[in-house]
Amino acid sequence: MNTSDTYTPWTQEYRPETRAAQGDGWRSPTTGAVPPPISLGATYARDADYRAPAGLAYLRDQGTPGYEQAEQVVAGLEGGSDALLFSSGMAAATAVFQVLPAGARVVVPQTMYFGLTKWLREFGPQRGLEVVQVPMNDLDAVAAAVDAAPTALVWAESPANPTWLVTDLAGCAEIAHRAGALFGVDNTVPTPVHARPFDLGADLIMHSGTKYLNGHTDVVAGLLVKAPQRTEARDAIWERLQLHRRLTGPILGPLETYLLVRGIRTLYPRMRQISATAMAVAEHFAAHPLIRRVAYPGLPTDPGHEIAARQMTGGFSGMLSLHVDGPWQQSLRTANHCELFIRATSLGGVESLVEHRYTFEGPDSTSPKDMLRLSIGLESPADLVADLEQALEKAVKEDR
Ligand SMILES: *Cc1c(COP(=O)(O)O)cnc(C)c1O
């Protein structure tokens, strides 16, 4: 794509936070506007010689110049070679499974994002996929599953939603590659600020851009990123993914693409503060009489802490779960008494959210009933702790 209208490449290699803050330096040389223009065309005119002046023909085929910026920035933050923007995280994740050949065997976590588990259950077998679920935090179980039969793809998420189990990504990559399988990682929760799965051997990274990348609870978006070094298998699946997006159309609108990049500009300071606050909240409730257990990989007592500390940098992200003591209804009542935490699903925004996953997920749920999932935002840690304290107290009183 010819993007000279909106982009003058930097002549230096800058660090990720610099690339995020300035959106890789995209702006409009024609007007001087610091943020790049939003290009709303769905179709693009040809010149008198029937040439497309900027190499653009149709939005579903090539996207807009805004796509190139978003894809280049996220690929850069992850240390990847290319990225593809999608209409949602689920569109990005399911694209990977949809372009595998019929009959492909995939090894996926028992605990991962609920929507992907549900899609694999509903549509996997129908498409001829053999879906093998394993406890991804147990490398022996992963190896046994992968070695049992030819496997096309191993998928991991760490820390894994909603229980924050930690997976040894380097260990999984080795198992996958030894067996000739591709290794895909959902890096939505750690973000490139705290984890760099390509350094640990991932072939593909997936993001729900809806969450921390955008960070402001006003966009649904997704991305796939391709590993830096080329291999035949990586090139082959990437070509299928490009074709899949072009021909099935899970594309993001130009306005949402702009908002996504605007959110990414503050990703680094947001993540640092969010992770520090999450740690403070986790520490406060780690030895609390009304809390049975806090699931947060940042706590030294967490079963995943050692691996998380090895493969994450600068913090452990903003997601944690409280297991409330007493009858399980007490956790739901605690959510109901929150005044500052917003009772809503999703995660990764500037506002803190609380969710009783079991109630939200319904009868298929594998979430523990006593569990409250917290997405920590940018509020004062003291206000967040005080809100949970008063909610817990009211929930206990109601039980008496
Ligand atoms: C939200 C989420 C997804 C799905 O993304 P959408 O943008 O909602 O489609 C996938 N993985 C994780 C870890 C998520 O939090």
Side-chain angles (χ1 to χ4, degrees):
M1 191 190 296
N2 174 1
T3 51
S4 58
D5 274 0
T6 52
Y7 179 49
T8 312
W10 275 336
T11 53
Q12 282 199 54
E13 288 256 338
Y14 291 113
R15 289 170 181 78
E17 48 264 71
T18 306
R19 296 187 65 165
Q22 291 209 11
D24 258 8
W26 289 62
R27 49 186 168 266
S28 173
T30 45
T31 66
V34 173
I38 301 170
S39 175
L40 289 175
T43 188
Y44 291 82
R46 308 256 159 173
D47 65 16
D49 297 318
Y50 216 75
R51 282 185 307 236
L56 299 171
Y58 188 58
L59 181 60
R60 171 160 52 70
D61 287 342
Q62 297 95 5
T64 67
Y67 270 47
E68 258 217 340
Q69 184 195 15
E71 290 171 349
Q72 182 189 314
V73 169
V74 175
L77 300 187
E78 288 289 6
S81 59
D82 200 1
L84 276 169
L85 197 57
F86 285 86
S87 52
S88 70
M90 279 301 290
T94 56
V96 177
F97 292 89
Q98 289 181 74
V99 302
L100 294 176
R105 186 168 183 275
V106 296
V107 173
V108 302
Q110 248 163 25
T111 303
M112 64 172 165
Y113 181 69
F114 184 69
L116 189 54
T117 307
K118 195 164 167 70
W119 186 87
L120 286 167
R121 194 185 301 145
E122 298 280 338
F123 296 101
Q126 187 184 319
R127 288 166 174 270
L129 290 179
E130 189 191 337
V131 181
V132 184
Q133 287 191 293
V134 295
M136 242 348 134
N137 54 327
D138 176 354
L139 278 190
D140 292 336
V142 178
V146 171
D147 295 339
T151 300
L153 175 76
V154 178
W155 188 262
E157 184 185 320
S158 181
N161 206 349
T163 52
W164 320 115
L165 281 179
V166 172
T167 296
D168 181 339
L169 297 179
C172 283
E174 204 200 311
I175 292 166
H177 293 155
R178 211 168 54 205
L182 285 166
F183 182 46
V185 175
D186 181 341
N187 204 33
T188 299
V189 167
T191 79
V193 178
H194 295 310
R196 307 251 304 177
F198 287 143
D199 295 344
L200 304 169
D203 298 292
L204 282 173
I205 289 175
M206 174 244 136
H207 273 286
S208 167
T210 315
K211 312 296 169 56
Y212 293 111
L213 292 185
N214 171 261
H216 292 75
T217 334
D218 53 9
V219 166
V220 170
L223 288 125
L224 292 173
V225 191
K226 186 186 180 200
Q229 285 88 29
R230 292 180 64 171
T231 67
E232 225 172 89
R234 287 171 180 171
D235 286 353
I237 193 166
W238 196 252
E239 230 172 77
R240 301 295 291 166
L241 288 165
Q242 288 171 317
L243 195 61
H244 168 87
R245 190 185 71 176
R246 223 181 145 128
L247 297 179
T248 63
I251 56 160
L252 198 63
L255 289 169
E256 288 77 9
T257 305
Y258 179 89
L259 286 172
L260 174 65
V261 175
R262 167 147 124 177
I264 289 172
R265 288 169 182 269
T266 56
L267 177 68
Y268 282 75
R270 268 192 290 116
M271 287 317 291
R272 286 181 188 131
Q273 187 172 332
I274 281 171
S275 295
T277 304
M279 190 67 174
V281 173
E283 279 171 346
H284 178 89
F285 289 101
H288 191 283
L290 298 175
I291 300 296
R292 203 189 328 267
R293 188 170 78 83
V294 178
Y296 185 62
L299 291 176
T301 48
D302 191 272
H305 177 72
E306 202 187 307
I307 293 166
R310 201 164 67 217
Q311 68 186 18
M312 297 180 81
T313 49
F316 299 88
S317 194
M319 297 303 300
L320 61 140
S321 292
L322 302 181
H323 294 262
V324 179
D325 208 7
W328 75 264
Q329 289 84 353
Q330 208 136 289
S331 63
L332 181 57
R333 276 199 295 270
T334 303
N336 290 340
H337 284 298
C338 284
E339 290 169 15
L340 183 58
F341 275 88
I342 301 165
R343 282 175 296 281
T345 194
S346 195
L347 61 93
V350 294
E351 317 86 349
S352 291
L353 308 180
V354 59
E355 186 169 44
H356 193 250
R357 284 299 296 179
Y358 178 81
T359 303
F360 181 77
E361 288 172 7
D364 283 354
S365 174
T366 52
S367 287
K369 287 181 173 178
D370 67 346
M371 189 188 78
L372 278 185
R373 191 184 81 171
L374 305 179
S375 171
I376 298 298
L378 289 179
E379 304 90 340
S380 147
D383 286 341
L384 293 175
V385 165
D387 189 44
L388 290 168
E389 284 282 12
Q390 67 81 25
L392 281 163
E393 211 166 292
K394 282 184 186 146
V396 171
K397 277 205 191 115
E398 221 175 276
D399 193 37
R400 288 203 186 111

